Coordinates of all heavy atoms in Angstrom, one line a residue:
M1271 N 23.2 -31.9 -21.8 CA 23.2 -31.5 -20.4 C 22.2 -30.4 -20.2 O 22.2 -29.4 -20.9 CB 24.6 -31.0 -20.1 CG 25.6 -32.1 -20.0 SD 27.1 -31.9 -19.0 CE 27.0 -30.1 -18.5
N1272 N 21.4 -30.6 -19.2 CA 20.4 -29.6 -18.8 C 20.7 -28.9 -17.5 O 19.9 -28.4 -16.8 CB 19.0 -30.2 -18.8 CG 18.5 -30.3 -20.2 OD1 18.7 -29.4 -21.0 ND2 17.7 -31.3 -20.4
E1273 N 22.0 -29.0 -17.1 CA 22.3 -28.5 -15.8 C 22.5 -26.9 -15.9 O 23.0 -26.4 -16.8 CB 23.7 -29.1 -15.4 CG 24.1 -28.7 -14.0 CD 25.5 -29.2 -13.6 OE1 26.1 -29.9 -14.5 OE2 25.9 -28.9 -12.5
W1274 N 22.0 -26.3 -14.9 CA 22.1 -24.8 -14.8 C 22.9 -24.4 -13.5 O 22.6 -25.0 -12.5 CB 20.7 -24.1 -14.7 CG 19.9 -24.3 -16.0 CD1 19.1 -25.3 -16.3 CD2 19.9 -23.4 -17.1 NE1 18.5 -25.1 -17.5 CE2 19.0 -24.0 -18.1 CE3 20.6 -22.3 -17.5 CZ2 18.8 -23.4 -19.3 CZ3 20.3 -21.7 -18.7 CH2 19.4 -22.2 -19.6
I1275 N 23.8 -23.5 -13.6 CA 24.5 -23.1 -12.5 C 24.4 -21.6 -12.3 O 24.3 -20.8 -13.3 CB 26.0 -23.4 -12.5 CG1 26.7 -22.8 -13.8 CG2 26.2 -25.0 -12.5 CD1 28.2 -22.9 -13.8
P1276 N 24.3 -21.1 -11.1 CA 24.2 -19.6 -10.9 C 25.6 -19.0 -11.2 O 26.6 -19.4 -10.8 CB 23.9 -19.5 -9.4 CG 24.4 -20.7 -8.8 CD 24.3 -21.8 -9.9
V1277 N 25.5 -17.9 -12.0 CA 26.8 -17.2 -12.4 C 26.8 -15.8 -11.8 O 27.9 -15.2 -11.6 CB 26.9 -17.2 -13.9 CG1 25.9 -16.3 -14.6 CG2 28.4 -16.7 -14.3
Y1278 N 25.7 -15.2 -11.5 CA 25.6 -13.9 -11.0 C 24.3 -13.6 -10.4 O 23.3 -14.0 -10.8 CB 25.8 -12.9 -12.2 CG 25.9 -11.4 -11.8 CD1 27.1 -10.9 -11.2 CD2 24.9 -10.6 -12.1 CE1 27.1 -9.6 -10.8 CE2 24.9 -9.2 -11.7 CZ 26.1 -8.8 -11.1 OH 26.2 -7.4 -10.8
Q1279 N 24.4 -12.8 -9.3 CA 23.2 -12.3 -8.7 C 23.0 -10.8 -8.9 O 23.7 -10.0 -8.5 CB 23.2 -12.6 -7.2 CG 21.9 -12.4 -6.5 CD 21.9 -12.9 -5.1 OE1 22.8 -12.6 -4.3 NE2 20.9 -13.7 -4.7
A1280 N 22.0 -10.6 -9.7 CA 21.7 -9.2 -10.1 C 21.0 -8.4 -9.0 O 20.3 -9.0 -8.2 CB 20.9 -9.1 -11.4
A1281 N 21.3 -7.1 -9.0 CA 20.7 -6.3 -7.9 C 19.2 -6.2 -8.1 O 18.4 -6.0 -7.2 CB 21.3 -4.9 -7.9
N1282 N 18.7 -6.2 -9.4 CA 17.3 -6.1 -9.7 C 17.0 -6.6 -11.0 O 17.9 -7.1 -11.8 CB 16.9 -4.6 -9.6 CG 17.8 -3.7 -10.5 OD1 17.9 -4.0 -11.7 ND2 18.5 -2.8 -9.9
S1283 N 15.8 -6.6 -11.4 CA 15.3 -7.2 -12.6 C 15.9 -6.5 -13.8 O 16.2 -7.1 -14.8 CB 13.8 -7.1 -12.7 OG 13.3 -7.8 -13.8
L1284 N 16.0 -5.2 -13.7 CA 16.6 -4.4 -14.9 C 18.0 -4.9 -15.2 O 18.4 -5.1 -16.3 CB 16.5 -2.9 -14.5 CG 17.1 -2.0 -15.6 CD1 16.3 -2.1 -16.9 CD2 17.2 -0.6 -15.1
E1285 N 18.8 -5.0 -14.1 CA 20.2 -5.4 -14.3 C 20.2 -6.8 -14.9 O 21.0 -7.2 -15.8 CB 20.9 -5.3 -13.0 CG 22.4 -5.7 -13.1 CD 23.1 -5.8 -11.8 OE1 22.5 -6.1 -10.8 OE2 24.4 -5.5 -11.8
A1286 N 19.4 -7.7 -14.4 CA 19.3 -9.1 -14.8 C 19.0 -9.1 -16.3 O 19.7 -9.9 -17.0 CB 18.3 -9.8 -14.0
H1287 N 18.1 -8.3 -16.7 CA 17.7 -8.4 -18.2 C 18.8 -7.8 -19.0 O 19.0 -8.2 -20.2 CB 16.4 -7.7 -18.4 CG 15.2 -8.5 -18.0 ND1 14.7 -9.5 -18.9 CD2 14.5 -8.7 -16.9 CE1 13.7 -10.1 -18.3 NE2 13.5 -9.6 -17.1
T1288 N 19.5 -6.8 -18.5 CA 20.6 -6.2 -19.3 C 21.7 -7.2 -19.5 O 22.1 -7.4 -20.7 CB 21.2 -5.0 -18.5 OG1 20.1 -4.0 -18.3 CG2 22.3 -4.4 -19.2
L1289 N 22.0 -8.0 -18.5 CA 23.1 -9.0 -18.6 C 22.6 -10.2 -19.4 O 23.3 -10.7 -20.2 CB 23.5 -9.4 -17.2 CG 24.3 -8.4 -16.4 CD1 24.4 -8.8 -15.0 CD2 25.7 -8.3 -17.1
K1290 N 21.3 -10.5 -19.2 CA 20.8 -11.6 -20.0 C 20.9 -11.3 -21.5 O 21.3 -12.1 -22.3 CB 19.3 -11.9 -19.6 CG 18.7 -13.0 -20.3 CD 17.3 -13.3 -19.7 CE 16.7 -14.6 -20.2 NZ 16.0 -14.4 -21.5
G1291 N 20.5 -10.1 -21.8 CA 20.6 -9.7 -23.2 C 22.0 -9.7 -23.8 O 22.2 -10.2 -24.9
A1292 N 22.9 -9.2 -23.0 CA 24.3 -9.2 -23.4 C 24.8 -10.6 -23.6 O 25.6 -10.9 -24.6 CB 25.2 -8.5 -22.4
M1293 N 24.4 -11.5 -22.8 CA 24.9 -12.9 -22.9 C 24.3 -13.6 -24.1 O 24.9 -14.4 -24.8 CB 24.6 -13.7 -21.6 CG 25.5 -13.2 -20.5 SD 25.4 -14.2 -19.0 CE 26.2 -13.2 -17.8
E1294 N 23.0 -13.4 -24.3 CA 22.3 -14.0 -25.4 C 22.9 -13.6 -26.7 O 22.9 -14.4 -27.7 CB 20.8 -13.8 -25.3 CG 20.2 -14.6 -24.2 CD 18.7 -14.4 -24.0 OE1 18.2 -13.3 -24.5 OE2 18.1 -15.2 -23.3
V1295 N 23.3 -12.3 -26.8 CA 23.9 -11.8 -28.0 C 25.2 -12.6 -28.3 O 25.6 -12.9 -29.4 CB 24.3 -10.3 -27.9 CG1 25.2 -9.9 -28.9 CG2 23.0 -9.5 -28.0
A1296 N 25.9 -13.0 -27.2 CA 27.1 -13.8 -27.3 C 26.9 -15.3 -27.4 O 27.8 -16.1 -27.4 CB 28.0 -13.5 -26.1
G1297 N 25.6 -15.7 -27.5 CA 25.3 -17.1 -27.8 C 25.2 -17.9 -26.5 O 25.2 -19.1 -26.5
I1298 N 25.0 -17.2 -25.4 CA 24.9 -17.9 -24.1 C 23.5 -17.9 -23.6 O 22.8 -16.9 -23.5 CB 25.8 -17.2 -23.0 CG1 27.3 -17.2 -23.5 CG2 25.6 -17.9 -21.7 CD1 28.2 -16.4 -22.6
A1299 N 23.0 -19.1 -23.4 CA 21.6 -19.3 -22.9 C 21.5 -18.9 -21.4 O 22.4 -19.4 -20.6 CB 21.1 -20.7 -23.1
V1300 N 20.6 -18.1 -21.1 CA 20.5 -17.6 -19.7 C 19.1 -17.8 -19.1 O 18.1 -17.6 -19.8 CB 20.8 -16.1 -19.6 CG1 20.6 -15.6 -18.2 CG2 22.1 -15.8 -20.1
L1301 N 19.0 -18.3 -17.9 CA 17.8 -18.5 -17.2 C 17.8 -17.5 -16.0 O 18.7 -17.4 -15.3 CB 17.7 -19.9 -16.7 CG 16.3 -20.5 -16.4 CD1 15.5 -20.6 -17.6 CD2 16.5 -21.9 -15.8
L1302 N 16.7 -16.8 -15.8 CA 16.6 -15.9 -14.7 C 15.8 -16.6 -13.6 O 14.7 -17.1 -13.8 CB 15.9 -14.6 -15.1 CG 16.6 -13.7 -16.1 CD1 15.8 -12.5 -16.4 CD2 18.0 -13.4 -15.7
Q1303 N 16.3 -16.5 -12.4 CA 15.7 -17.1 -11.2 C 15.4 -16.1 -10.2 O 16.3 -15.3 -9.8 CB 16.6 -18.2 -10.6 CG 16.0 -19.0 -9.6 CD 16.9 -20.1 -9.1 OE1 18.0 -19.8 -8.5 NE2 16.6 -21.3 -9.3
G1304 N 14.2 -16.0 -9.7 CA 13.8 -15.1 -8.6 C 12.9 -14.0 -9.1 O 12.3 -13.3 -8.3
E1305 N 12.8 -13.8 -10.4 CA 12.0 -12.7 -10.9 C 10.5 -12.9 -10.6 O 9.8 -12.0 -10.3 CB 12.3 -12.6 -12.4 CG 11.8 -11.3 -13.0 CD 12.2 -11.1 -14.4 OE1 12.2 -12.1 -15.1 OE2 12.5 -10.0 -14.8
A1306 N 10.1 -14.1 -10.8 CA 8.6 -14.4 -10.5 C 8.2 -14.0 -9.1 O 7.2 -13.5 -8.9 CB 8.4 -15.9 -10.8
L1307 N 9.1 -14.3 -8.2 CA 8.9 -14.0 -6.8 C 8.7 -12.5 -6.6 O 7.8 -12.1 -5.8 CB 10.1 -14.4 -6.0 CG 10.0 -14.3 -4.5 CD1 8.9 -15.3 -4.0 CD2 11.3 -14.7 -3.8
S1308 N 9.4 -11.7 -7.3 CA 9.3 -10.2 -7.1 C 7.9 -9.7 -7.4 O 7.4 -8.8 -6.8 CB 10.4 -9.5 -8.0 OG 10.0 -9.6 -9.4
G1309 N 7.3 -10.3 -8.4 CA 5.9 -9.9 -8.7 C 5.0 -10.1 -7.6 O 4.1 -9.3 -7.3
A1310 N 5.2 -11.3 -7.0 CA 4.2 -11.7 -5.9 C 4.4 -10.8 -4.7 O 3.5 -10.7 -3.9 CB 4.5 -13.2 -5.6
L1311 N 5.6 -10.3 -4.5 CA 5.9 -9.5 -3.3 C 5.3 -8.1 -3.4 O 5.2 -7.4 -2.3 CB 7.4 -9.5 -3.0 CG 8.0 -10.8 -2.6 CD1 9.5 -10.7 -2.5 CD2 7.4 -11.3 -1.3
G1312 N 5.0 -7.7 -4.6 CA 4.4 -6.4 -4.7 C 5.3 -5.2 -4.5 O 6.4 -5.1 -5.2
E1313 N 5.0 -4.3 -3.6 CA 5.6 -3.0 -3.6 C 6.9 -2.9 -2.8 O 7.1 -2.0 -2.0 CB 4.6 -1.9 -3.0 CG 3.3 -1.8 -3.8 CD 3.6 -1.2 -5.2 OE1 4.3 -0.3 -5.3 OE2 3.0 -1.8 -6.1
L1314 N 7.8 -3.8 -3.1 CA 9.1 -3.7 -2.4 C 10.0 -2.7 -3.2 O 9.8 -2.6 -4.4 CB 9.8 -5.1 -2.4 CG 9.2 -6.0 -1.3 CD1 9.9 -7.4 -1.5 CD2 9.6 -5.5 0.1
P1315 N 10.9 -2.1 -2.5 CA 11.9 -1.3 -3.3 C 12.6 -2.2 -4.3 O 12.8 -3.4 -4.0 CB 12.9 -0.9 -2.2 CG 12.2 -1.0 -0.9 CD 11.2 -2.1 -1.1
V1316 N 13.0 -1.6 -5.4 CA 13.7 -2.4 -6.4 C 14.9 -3.2 -5.9 O 15.1 -4.3 -6.3 CB 14.1 -1.4 -7.6 CG1 14.9 -2.2 -8.6 CG2 12.9 -0.8 -8.2
N1317 N 15.6 -2.5 -5.0 CA 16.8 -3.2 -4.6 C 16.6 -4.4 -3.7 O 17.5 -5.2 -3.5 CB 17.7 -2.2 -3.7 CG 18.4 -1.2 -4.6 OD1 18.5 -1.4 -5.8 ND2 18.9 -0.2 -4.0
A1318 N 15.4 -4.6 -3.2 CA 15.1 -5.7 -2.3 C 14.9 -7.0 -3.1 O 14.9 -8.1 -2.6 CB 13.8 -5.4 -1.5
V1319 N 14.7 -6.9 -4.4 CA 14.5 -8.0 -5.2 C 15.7 -8.4 -6.0 O 16.1 -7.7 -6.9 CB 13.3 -7.8 -6.2 CG1 13.0 -9.0 -7.0 CG2 12.1 -7.3 -5.4
E1320 N 16.3 -9.6 -5.7 CA 17.4 -10.0 -6.4 C 17.1 -11.1 -7.4 O 16.2 -11.9 -7.2 CB 18.5 -10.5 -5.4 CG 19.0 -9.4 -4.6 CD 19.9 -9.8 -3.5 OE1 19.8 -11.0 -3.1 OE2 20.6 -9.0 -2.9
V1321 N 17.8 -11.0 -8.5 CA 17.5 -12.0 -9.6 C 18.8 -12.7 -9.9 O 19.8 -12.1 -10.1 CB 17.0 -11.3 -10.9 CG1 16.7 -12.4 -11.9 CG2 15.8 -10.5 -10.6
T1322 N 18.8 -14.1 -9.8 CA 20.0 -14.8 -10.1 C 20.0 -15.3 -11.6 O 19.0 -15.7 -12.1 CB 20.0 -16.1 -9.2 OG1 20.0 -15.7 -7.9 CG2 21.3 -16.9 -9.5
L1323 N 21.2 -15.1 -12.2 CA 21.3 -15.5 -13.6 C 21.9 -16.9 -13.6 O 22.9 -17.2 -13.0 CB 22.3 -14.6 -14.4 CG 21.6 -13.3 -15.0 CD1 21.4 -12.3 -13.9 CD2 22.5 -12.8 -16.0
L1324 N 21.2 -17.8 -14.3 CA 21.7 -19.2 -14.4 C 22.2 -19.5 -15.8 O 21.5 -19.1 -16.8 CB 20.6 -20.2 -14.0 CG 20.0 -20.0 -12.6 CD1 18.8 -21.0 -12.5 CD2 21.0 -20.3 -11.5
I1325 N 23.3 -20.2 -15.9 CA 23.8 -20.6 -17.3 C 24.2 -22.0 -17.3 O 24.3 -22.7 -16.2 CB 25.0 -19.7 -17.6 CG1 26.1 -19.9 -16.6 CG2 24.6 -18.2 -17.8 CD1 27.5 -19.4 -17.1
H1326 N 24.5 -22.5 -18.4 CA 25.1 -23.9 -18.5 C 26.6 -23.8 -18.2 O 27.3 -22.8 -18.5 CB 25.0 -24.4 -20.0 CG 23.6 -24.7 -20.4 ND1 22.8 -25.6 -19.7 CD2 22.8 -24.2 -21.3 CE1 21.6 -25.7 -20.3 NE2 21.6 -24.8 -21.3
P1327 N 27.1 -24.8 -17.5 CA 28.5 -24.8 -17.1 C 29.5 -24.5 -18.3 O 30.5 -23.9 -18.1 CB 28.7 -26.2 -16.5 CG 27.4 -26.6 -16.0 CD 26.4 -26.0 -17.0
A1328 N 29.1 -25.0 -19.4 CA 30.0 -24.9 -20.6 C 30.2 -23.4 -21.0 O 31.1 -23.0 -21.6 CB 29.5 -25.7 -21.7
D1329 N 29.2 -22.6 -20.6 CA 29.2 -21.1 -20.9 C 29.9 -20.3 -19.9 O 29.9 -19.0 -20.0 CB 27.8 -20.6 -21.2 CG 27.2 -21.3 -22.4 OD1 27.9 -21.5 -23.4 OD2 26.0 -21.5 -22.4
L1330 N 30.4 -20.9 -18.8 CA 30.9 -20.1 -17.7 C 31.9 -19.1 -18.0 O 31.9 -17.9 -17.6 CB 31.4 -21.1 -16.6 CG 31.8 -20.4 -15.3 CD1 30.6 -19.7 -14.7 CD2 32.3 -21.5 -14.3
E1331 N 32.9 -19.5 -18.8 CA 34.0 -18.6 -19.1 C 33.5 -17.4 -19.9 O 33.8 -16.3 -19.6 CB 35.0 -19.4 -19.9 CG 36.4 -18.7 -19.9 CD 37.5 -19.6 -20.5 OE1 37.4 -20.8 -20.3 OE2 38.4 -19.0 -21.1
G1332 N 32.7 -17.7 -20.9 CA 32.1 -16.6 -21.7 C 31.3 -15.6 -20.9 O 31.3 -14.4 -21.0
A1333 N 30.5 -16.2 -20.0 CA 29.6 -15.4 -19.1 C 30.4 -14.5 -18.2 O 30.1 -13.4 -18.0 CB 28.7 -16.3 -18.3
R1334 N 31.5 -15.1 -17.6 CA 32.3 -14.3 -16.7 C 33.0 -13.1 -17.5 O 33.1 -12.0 -16.9 CB 33.4 -15.1 -16.1 CG 32.9 -16.0 -15.0 CD 34.0 -16.8 -14.4 NE 33.5 -17.4 -13.1 CZ 34.2 -18.3 -12.5 NH1 35.3 -18.8 -13.0 NH2 33.7 -18.8 -11.4
H1335 N 33.3 -13.4 -18.7 CA 33.9 -12.3 -19.5 C 32.9 -11.2 -19.7 O 33.3 -10.0 -19.6 CB 34.4 -12.9 -20.9 CG 35.1 -11.9 -21.7 ND1 36.3 -11.4 -21.4 CD2 34.8 -11.4 -22.9 CE1 36.7 -10.6 -22.4 NE2 35.8 -10.5 -23.3
I1336 N 31.7 -11.5 -20.0 CA 30.7 -10.5 -20.2 C 30.4 -9.7 -18.9 O 30.3 -8.5 -18.9 CB 29.4 -11.2 -20.7 CG1 29.7 -11.6 -22.2 CG2 28.2 -10.2 -20.6 CD1 28.6 -12.5 -22.7
L1337 N 30.4 -10.5 -17.8 CA 30.2 -9.8 -16.5 C 31.3 -8.8 -16.2 O 31.1 -7.8 -15.6 CB 30.1 -10.9 -15.4 CG 28.8 -11.7 -15.4 CD1 29.0 -12.9 -14.4 CD2 27.6 -10.9 -14.9
E1338 N 32.5 -9.2 -16.5 CA 33.6 -8.4 -16.3 C 33.5 -7.1 -17.1 O 33.7 -6.0 -16.6 CB 34.9 -9.1 -16.7 CG 36.2 -8.5 -16.2 CD 36.3 -8.4 -14.7 OE1 35.6 -9.3 -14.0 OE2 37.0 -7.6 -14.2
Q1339 N 33.1 -7.2 -18.3 CA 33.0 -6.1 -19.2 C 31.8 -5.2 -18.7 O 31.9 -3.9 -18.7 CB 32.6 -6.5 -20.6 CG 33.8 -7.1 -21.4 CD 33.4 -7.4 -22.8 OE1 32.3 -7.8 -23.1 NE2 34.3 -7.2 -23.7
Y1340 N 30.8 -5.8 -18.2 CA 29.7 -5.1 -17.7 C 30.0 -4.3 -16.4 O 29.7 -3.1 -16.3 CB 28.6 -6.1 -17.3 CG 27.4 -5.5 -16.6 CD1 26.5 -4.7 -17.4 CD2 27.2 -5.6 -15.3 CE1 25.4 -4.1 -16.7 CE2 26.1 -5.0 -14.6 CZ 25.2 -4.3 -15.4 OH 24.1 -3.7 -14.8
R1341 N 30.8 -4.8 -15.6 CA 31.3 -4.1 -14.4 C 32.1 -2.9 -14.7 O 32.0 -1.9 -14.1 CB 32.1 -5.1 -13.5 CG 31.3 -6.0 -12.7 CD 32.0 -6.5 -11.5 NE 31.3 -7.5 -10.8 CZ 31.5 -8.8 -10.9 NH1 32.4 -9.2 -11.8 NH2 30.8 -9.7 -10.3
R1342 N 33.0 -3.1 -15.7 CA 33.8 -2.0 -16.1 C 33.1 -0.9 -16.9 O 33.6 0.2 -17.0 CB 35.0 -2.5 -16.9 CG 36.0 -3.3 -16.0 CD 37.0 -3.9 -16.9 NE 37.9 -4.8 -16.1 CZ 38.7 -5.7 -16.7 NH1 38.8 -5.8 -18.0 NH2 39.4 -6.5 -15.9
G1343 N 32.1 -1.3 -17.5 CA 31.5 -0.5 -18.6 C 30.4 0.4 -18.1 O 30.5 1.0 -17.1
N1344 N 29.3 0.3 -18.9 CA 28.3 1.4 -18.9 C 27.4 1.4 -17.7 O 26.2 1.1 -17.7 CB 27.5 1.1 -20.2 CG 27.1 -0.4 -20.2 OD1 27.2 -1.1 -19.2 ND2 26.7 -0.8 -21.4
G1345 N 27.9 1.9 -16.6 CA 27.1 2.3 -15.5 C 26.5 1.2 -14.7 O 25.5 1.4 -13.9
G1346 N 27.0 0.0 -14.9 CA 26.4 -1.1 -14.1 C 26.9 -1.1 -12.7 O 28.1 -0.7 -12.4
S1347 N 26.1 -1.5 -11.7 CA 26.6 -1.6 -10.4 C 27.2 -3.0 -10.1 O 27.1 -3.9 -10.9 CB 25.4 -1.4 -9.4 OG 24.5 -2.5 -9.6
W1348 N 28.0 -3.1 -9.0 CA 28.6 -4.4 -8.7 C 28.3 -4.7 -7.2 O 27.9 -3.8 -6.4 CB 30.1 -4.4 -8.9 CG 30.9 -3.3 -8.3 CD1 31.1 -2.0 -8.8 CD2 31.6 -3.4 -7.0 NE1 31.8 -1.3 -7.9 CE2 32.2 -2.1 -6.8 CE3 31.8 -4.4 -6.1 CZ2 32.9 -1.8 -5.7 CZ3 32.5 -4.1 -4.9 CH2 33.1 -2.8 -4.8
R1349 N 28.4 -5.9 -6.9 CA 28.0 -6.3 -5.5 C 29.2 -6.7 -4.7 O 30.0 -7.5 -5.2 CB 27.0 -7.6 -5.7 CG 26.5 -8.1 -4.4 CD 25.6 -9.3 -4.8 NE 25.1 -9.9 -3.6 CZ 24.0 -9.5 -2.9 NH1 23.3 -8.5 -3.4 NH2 23.6 -10.1 -1.8
C1350 N 29.3 -6.1 -3.6 CA 30.5 -6.4 -2.7 C 30.5 -7.9 -2.3 O 29.6 -8.4 -1.8 CB 30.4 -5.5 -1.5 SG 31.7 -5.8 -0.3
P1351 N 31.7 -8.5 -2.5 CA 31.8 -9.9 -2.2 C 31.9 -10.2 -0.7 O 31.7 -11.3 -0.2 CB 33.1 -10.4 -2.9 CG 33.9 -9.1 -3.1 CD 32.9 -8.0 -3.2
R1352 N 32.2 -9.1 0.1 CA 32.3 -9.3 1.5 C 31.0 -9.0 2.3 O 30.5 -9.8 3.0 CB 33.4 -8.4 2.1 CG 33.6 -8.6 3.6 CD 34.4 -7.4 4.2 NE 35.8 -7.5 3.8 CZ 36.7 -6.5 4.1 NH1 36.3 -5.4 4.6 NH2 38.0 -6.6 3.7
C1353 N 30.4 -7.8 2.0 CA 29.2 -7.4 2.8 C 28.0 -7.4 2.0 O 26.9 -7.3 2.5 CB 29.4 -6.0 3.4 SG 29.3 -4.7 2.3
G1354 N 28.1 -7.6 0.7 CA 26.9 -7.8 -0.1 C 26.3 -6.5 -0.6 O 25.2 -6.4 -1.2
E1355 N 26.9 -5.4 -0.2 CA 26.4 -4.0 -0.6 C 26.5 -3.8 -2.1 O 27.4 -4.3 -2.8 CB 27.2 -3.0 0.1 CG 26.6 -1.6 0.0 CD 25.2 -1.5 0.5 OE1 25.0 -1.8 1.7 OE2 24.3 -1.1 -0.3
H1356 N 25.5 -3.1 -2.7 CA 25.6 -2.8 -4.1 C 26.3 -1.5 -4.3 O 26.0 -0.5 -3.6 CB 24.1 -2.7 -4.7 CG 23.4 -4.0 -4.6 ND1 23.8 -5.1 -5.3 CD2 22.3 -4.4 -3.9 CE1 23.0 -6.1 -5.1 NE2 22.1 -5.7 -4.2
N1357 N 27.2 -1.4 -5.2 CA 28.0 -0.3 -5.4 C 27.9 0.2 -6.9 O 27.8 -0.6 -7.8 CB 29.5 -0.6 -5.2 CG 29.7 -0.8 -3.7 OD1 29.9 0.1 -2.9 ND2 29.8 -2.1 -3.4
A1358 N 27.9 1.5 -7.1 CA 27.8 2.0 -8.4 C 29.1 1.7 -9.2 O 30.2 1.4 -8.5 CB 27.7 3.5 -8.4
A1359 N 29.1 1.6 -10.5 CA 30.2 1.1 -11.3 C 31.4 2.1 -11.1 O 32.6 1.6 -11.2 CB 29.8 1.1 -12.7
S1360 N 31.1 3.3 -10.7 CA 32.2 4.3 -10.6 C 33.0 4.1 -9.3 O 34.1 4.6 -9.1 CB 31.7 5.7 -10.6 OG 30.7 5.9 -9.6
F1361 N 32.5 3.3 -8.4 CA 33.2 3.0 -7.1 C 34.2 1.8 -7.4 O 33.8 0.8 -7.8 CB 32.3 2.6 -6.0 CG 31.4 3.7 -5.6 CD1 30.3 3.4 -4.7 CD2 31.6 5.0 -6.0 CE1 29.4 4.4 -4.3 CE2 30.7 6.0 -5.6 CZ 29.7 5.7 -4.8
E1362 N 35.5 2.1 -7.0 CA 36.5 1.0 -7.2 C 36.5 0.1 -6.0 O 37.0 -1.0 -6.1 CB 37.8 1.6 -7.5 CG 37.8 2.3 -8.9 CD 39.2 2.8 -9.3 OE1 40.1 2.7 -8.4 OE2 39.3 3.3 -10.4
I1363 N 36.1 0.6 -4.8 CA 36.0 -0.2 -3.7 C 34.6 0.0 -3.1 O 33.9 1.0 -3.3 CB 37.1 0.1 -2.6 CG1 36.9 1.6 -2.2 CG2 38.5 -0.2 -3.1 CD1 37.8 1.9 -1.0
C1364 N 34.2 -1.0 -2.3 CA 32.9 -0.9 -1.6 C 32.8 0.3 -0.7 O 33.7 0.6 0.1 CB 32.6 -2.2 -0.8 SG 31.1 -2.1 0.1
W1365 N 31.7 1.1 -0.9 CA 31.6 2.3 -0.1 C 31.3 2.0 1.4 O 31.6 2.8 2.3 CB 30.5 3.2 -0.6 CG 29.1 2.7 -0.6 CD1 28.5 2.0 -1.6 CD2 28.2 2.7 0.5 NE1 27.2 1.6 -1.2 CE2 27.0 2.0 0.1 CE3 28.3 3.3 1.8 CZ2 25.9 1.9 1.0 CZ3 27.1 3.1 2.6 CH2 26.0 2.5 2.2
R1366 N 30.8 0.8 1.6 CA 30.5 0.5 3.0 C 31.7 -0.1 3.8 O 32.0 0.3 4.9 CB 29.3 -0.5 3.1 CG 29.0 -0.9 4.5 CD 27.9 -2.0 4.5 NE 26.6 -1.5 4.4 CZ 25.5 -2.3 4.4 NH1 25.7 -3.6 4.4 NH2 24.3 -1.8 4.3
C1367 N 32.4 -1.1 3.2 CA 33.4 -1.8 3.9 C 34.8 -1.7 3.3 O 35.8 -2.2 3.9 CB 33.0 -3.3 4.1 SG 33.2 -4.3 2.6
G1368 N 34.9 -1.1 2.1 CA 36.2 -0.9 1.5 C 36.8 -2.1 0.7 O 37.9 -2.1 0.2
Q1369 N 36.0 -3.2 0.6 CA 36.4 -4.3 -0.1 C 36.4 -4.1 -1.6 O 35.6 -3.3 -2.2 CB 35.4 -5.5 0.2 CG 35.6 -6.7 -0.6 CD 36.9 -7.5 -0.2 OE1 37.2 -7.5 1.0 NE2 37.5 -8.1 -1.1
E1370 N 37.4 -4.6 -2.3 CA 37.4 -4.5 -3.8 C 36.5 -5.6 -4.4 O 36.3 -6.6 -3.8 CB 38.9 -4.7 -4.3 CG 39.8 -3.6 -3.9 CD 41.2 -3.9 -4.4 OE1 41.4 -4.8 -5.2 OE2 42.1 -3.2 -4.0
P1371 N 36.0 -5.3 -5.6 CA 35.1 -6.3 -6.2 C 35.9 -7.5 -6.6 O 37.1 -7.4 -6.9 CB 34.6 -5.6 -7.5 CG 35.6 -4.4 -7.7 CD 36.1 -4.0 -6.3
D1372 N 35.3 -8.7 -6.5 CA 36.0 -9.9 -6.8 C 35.9 -10.2 -8.2 O 34.9 -10.5 -8.8 CB 35.3 -11.0 -6.0 CG 36.0 -12.4 -6.1 OD1 36.9 -12.4 -6.9 OD2 35.6 -13.3 -5.5
P1373 N 37.1 -10.2 -8.9 CA 37.1 -10.4 -10.4 C 36.8 -11.8 -10.7 O 36.5 -12.2 -11.9 CB 38.5 -10.0 -10.8 CG 39.3 -10.2 -9.6 CD 38.4 -9.9 -8.4
G1374 N 36.8 -12.7 -9.8 CA 36.6 -14.2 -10.1 C 35.2 -14.6 -10.1 O 34.9 -15.7 -10.5
V1375 N 34.3 -13.7 -9.7 CA 32.9 -14.1 -9.6 C 32.2 -13.9 -10.9 O 32.3 -12.9 -11.4 CB 32.2 -13.3 -8.4 CG1 30.7 -13.6 -8.5 CG2 32.8 -13.7 -7.1
Ligands
ZN265 ZN1 31.3 -4.2 1.3

């Protein structure tokens, strides 16, 4: 199977690579989508460039587990499922709209 599905949209390239590394350590193959575009766009703020992590469907459960750990752990930001705002890991609800992070994503 060569099917890839999006599992997470990272706020920026740095976050994407952090998660990619964590997943690869766990034996999950990760493809980054959107990163090439960021180079072509030039001097945009880091936050303006989003990178989507793609994985094989068979790795979905493991990938979600890693994402969950990442959200709870070392300073990673999370993305509001309602308004799309990026929040620091220390925020338990979205600073903009008050939504809680979606644990199912
Ligand atoms: Zn929000």
Side-chain angles (χ1 to χ4, degrees):
M1271 286 204 354
N1272 280 323
E1273 188 185 358
W1274 294 90
I1275 59 169
V1277 69
Y1278 183 74
Q1279 192 168 48
N1282 54 58
S1283 183
L1284 178 64
E1285 184 185 28
H1287 279 277
T1288 300
L1289 286 167
K1290 182 172 187 277
M1293 289 187 194
E1294 285 177 344
V1295 165
I1298 298 173
V1300 179
L1301 201 64
L1302 297 182
Q1303 187 179 64
E1305 194 174 36
L1307 186 64
S1308 72
L1311 291 175
E1313 299 296 316
L1314 282 172
V1316 172
N1317 284 347
V1319 181
E1320 289 170 346
V1321 183
T1322 303
L1323 277 76
L1324 304 175
I1325 59 163
H1326 291 300
D1329 291 327
L1330 186 57
E1331 198 169 329
R1334 280 182 170 168
H1335 184 66
I1336 289 168
L1337 287 169
E1338 193 64 23
Q1339 287 184 322
Y1340 174 75
R1341 282 205 186 93
R1342 290 176 186 165
N1344 48 18
S1347 63
W1348 55 276
R1349 184 180 174 84
C1350 177
R1352 183 195 286 170
C1353 74
E1355 188 59 56
H1356 296 296
N1357 294 279
S1360 56
F1361 293 170
E1362 292 185 355
I1363 59 172
C1364 176
W1365 64 267
R1366 180 188 274 179
C1367 75
Q1369 175 72 34
E1370 293 179 10
D1372 183 356
V1375 173

